């Protein structure tokens, strides 16, 4: 028996963003066609798979992944002093194409947050010429810090950030918002694709094509201690829905069922 796990349909939905999209889509379609069953990491990915490839719903199971959280990190990260002394907004991961980072930058530059906060970008690629040009145009070149490091360092950044910004146009699942919630970091993310399904009522969401809406919601969060407290509390509850143990158990159930048919 052959089971395929599909994490997202980004190649199919945004082929213009990828150099070898035709080759990837062809290989992926071949794997899907020969599968006895398919596991999707979210209901949204399942919907996209059904819409694009007309897969029978009975052939698909949804199994949510977990997110990184270990006792090693939990026991160590709070002991250390904060890595970034300035107040900052945290962005995690790649920034190009569908990640929609530059919309956030333009929104930040229009807001009153520009006077009080830095932007810390953890991981991802080196700044592109386009990014540097936009930073300069918006007079925020000195307000952006690029940082790479260990999981312990990322945990430190989550724990002291004003909030995590996650503006993606599309995600098959989206792990950073859950990581942020685990470390008590409020989340502002787009309301597209799987993200509302992942964050529930534990994040502020916005239209990922609307700079002004994002600006207003960032300012709302910064100016409301009660909203911040509620998001943190809701986040602690939300993450209980996702764990690698649950992921492993549910995948096992799918494999056992298909094997026994």
């Amino acid at each position: 028996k052959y089971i395929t796990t599909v994490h997202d349909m980004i190649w199919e939905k945004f082929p213009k963003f990828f150099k070898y999209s035709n080759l990837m889509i062809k290989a992926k379609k071949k794997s899907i066609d020969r599968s006895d069953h398919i596991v999707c990491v979210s209901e949204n990915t399942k919907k996209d798979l059904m819409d694009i490839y007309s897969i029978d719903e009975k052939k698909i199971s949804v199994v949510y992944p977990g997110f990184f959280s270990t006792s090693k990190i939990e026991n160590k990260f709070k002991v250390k002093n904060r890595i970034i002394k300035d107040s900052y907004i945290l962005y995690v991961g790649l920034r190009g194409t569908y990640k929609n980072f530059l919309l956030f930058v333009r929104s930040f530059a229009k807001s009153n947050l520009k006077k009080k906060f830095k932007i810390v970008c953890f991981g991802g690629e080196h700044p592109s010429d386009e990014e540097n040009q936009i930073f300069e145009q918006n007079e925020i070149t000195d307000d952006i810090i690029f940082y790479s490091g260990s999981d312990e360092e990322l945990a430190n950044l989550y724990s002291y950030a004003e909030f995590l910004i996650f503006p993606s146009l599309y995600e098959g699942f989206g792990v950073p918002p859950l990581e942020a919630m685990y470390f008590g970091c409020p989340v502002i993310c787009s309301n597209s694709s799987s993200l509302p399904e992942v964050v529930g009522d534990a994040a502020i969401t916005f239209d990922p094509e609307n700079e002004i809406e994002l600006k207003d919601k960032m300012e709302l969060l910064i100016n409301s201690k009660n909203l911040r407290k509620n998001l943190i509390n809701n986040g602690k509850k939300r993450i209980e829905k996702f764990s690698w143990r649950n992921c492993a158990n549910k995948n096992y159930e799918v494999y056992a069922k298909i094997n026994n048919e």
Side-chain angles (χ1 to χ4, degrees):
K1 297 293 179 68
Y2 192 91
I3 299 176
T4 297
T5 297
V6 176
H7 291 270
D8 57 58
M9 301 298 289
I10 291 176
W11 294 88
E12 291 83 355
K13 292 181 76 71
F14 300 99
K16 64 181 180 180
F17 290 153
F18 302 99
K19 187 175 180 180
Y20 301 108
S21 58
N22 289 338
L23 292 174
M24 285 297 299
I25 291 171
K26 184 177 179 180
K28 187 174 173 183
K29 180 67 163 55
K30 182 178 180 180
S31 182
I32 288 169
D33 285 344
R34 67 178 179 174
S35 295
D36 296 290
H37 199 77
I38 299 166
V39 174
C40 289
V41 298
S42 66
E43 293 289 345
N44 185 76
T45 296
K46 173 184 172 181
K47 178 180 178 299
D48 288 342
L49 180 66
M50 293 169 61
D51 290 345
I52 293 170
Y53 289 135
S54 301
I55 305 297
D56 186 346
E57 185 174 11
K58 296 177 182 178
K59 195 177 177 180
I60 306 171
S61 297
V62 173
V63 178
Y64 290 125
F67 62 97
F68 98 123
S69 59
T70 69
S71 58
K72 176 184 175 184
I73 292 172
E74 186 175 8
N75 292 335
K76 285 187 175 181
F77 83 97
K78 286 185 178 178
V79 176
K80 300 176 182 178
N81 294 326
R82 56 188 295 160
I83 294 171
I84 306 295
K85 303 303 181 184
D86 298 298
S87 297
Y88 61 91
I89 297 163
L90 181 61
Y91 180 95
V92 174
L94 298 172
R95 302 182 305 278
T97 62
Y98 68 93
K99 293 296 186 177
N100 206 27
F101 174 72
L102 291 178
L103 178 131
F104 158 60
V105 167
R106 290 190 290 267
S107 180
F108 173 83
K110 290 181 172 73
S111 74
N112 58 27
L113 280 67
K114 182 178 175 181
K115 301 174 183 178
K116 304 175 184 177
F117 302 102
K118 303 285 189 183
I119 296 172
V120 174
C121 297
F122 182 90
E125 62 273 52
H126 291 293
S128 67
D129 291 339
E130 180 188 11
E131 285 179 321
N132 285 328
Q133 185 177 4
I134 291 177
F135 299 158
E136 189 172 339
Q137 288 172 351
N138 288 278
E139 299 179 346
I140 59 171
T141 300
D142 295 334
D143 297 322
I144 301 186
I145 300 168
F146 292 92
Y147 193 100
S148 294
S150 65
D151 282 348
E152 286 82 1
E153 288 168 295
L154 176 55
N156 185 290
L157 293 175
Y158 276 131
S159 64
Y160 293 110
E162 291 299 317
F163 61 85
L164 172 77
I165 180 69
F166 201 69
S168 289
L169 294 170
Y170 182 92
E171 293 289 334
F173 181 72
V175 171
L178 295 179
E179 295 177 346
M181 291 175 193
Y182 180 80
F183 292 107
C185 175
V187 174
I188 298 180
C189 71
S190 68
N191 61 9
S192 67
S193 61
S194 66
L195 291 174
E197 179 184 349
V198 173
V199 302
D201 65 351
I204 296 174
T205 61
F206 69 96
D207 178 350
E209 297 181 1
N210 191 326
E211 292 178 20
I212 301 304
E213 182 183 354
L214 174 55
K215 168 187 168 294
D216 292 343
K217 291 193 173 181
M218 290 192 297
E219 291 175 347
L220 175 66
L221 175 56
I222 291 300
N223 293 322
S224 175
K225 292 182 179 179
N226 284 337
L227 177 57
R228 180 183 182 84
K229 182 179 178 181
N230 288 338
L231 288 175
I232 292 172
N233 289 339
N234 289 347
K236 293 293 185 184
K237 298 173 184 175
R238 187 67 184 171
I239 60 174
E240 294 176 3
K241 184 178 177 69
F242 307 95
S243 75
W244 285 119
R245 183 176 295 278
N246 287 342
C247 178
N249 288 338
K250 290 184 181 298
N251 268 293
Y252 176 82
E253 290 172 6
V254 171
Y255 276 66
K257 179 177 181 294
I258 300 305
N259 186 57
N260 291 330
E261 286 180 350

